[in-house]
């Protein structure tokens, strides 16, 4: 399963700092996710709420 945070950020021209402000998630955690570390489910939920997307929009999986 691939996390699509980098793609969403690129499409919206968002910086790590902006995502931090929108979601309340530390920059270090955002960077970890962008570098392939799997986030916890509650972190995915925070990202979805802050970015105003469905949680399923945050990942690519053949099981969607």
């Amino acid at each position: 399963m691939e996390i699509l945070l980098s793609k969403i950020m690129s499409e919206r021209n968002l910086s790590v700092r902006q995502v931090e402000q929108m979601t309340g998630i530390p920059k270090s955690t955002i960077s970890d996710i962008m570098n392939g570390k799997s986030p916890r489910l509650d972190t995915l939920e925070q990202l979805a709420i802050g970015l105003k997307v469905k949680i399923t929009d945050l990942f690519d999986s053949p099981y969607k």
Side-chain angles (χ1 to χ4, degrees), residues 3-58:
I3 303 299
L4 302 174
L5 180 58
S6 295
K7 180 181 177 208
I8 292 168
M9 289 173 61
S10 177
E11 289 171 352
R12 296 182 180 188
N13 199 28
L14 295 171
S15 68
V16 172
R17 177 78 174 130
Q18 289 171 310
V19 174
E20 177 188 43
Q21 291 173 339
M22 294 168 73
T23 64
I25 298 170
K27 290 187 294 186
S28 59
T29 302
I30 295 166
S31 293
D32 286 346
I33 295 167
M34 292 174 65
N35 289 319
K37 185 176 179 190
S38 294
R40 296 181 345 196
L41 185 56
D42 63 325
T43 303
L44 281 175
E45 187 174 47
Q46 270 185 275
L47 282 168
I49 291 167
L51 294 171
K52 295 180 174 67
V53 298
K54 293 185 286 185
I55 200 166
T56 55
D57 293 338
L58 292 172

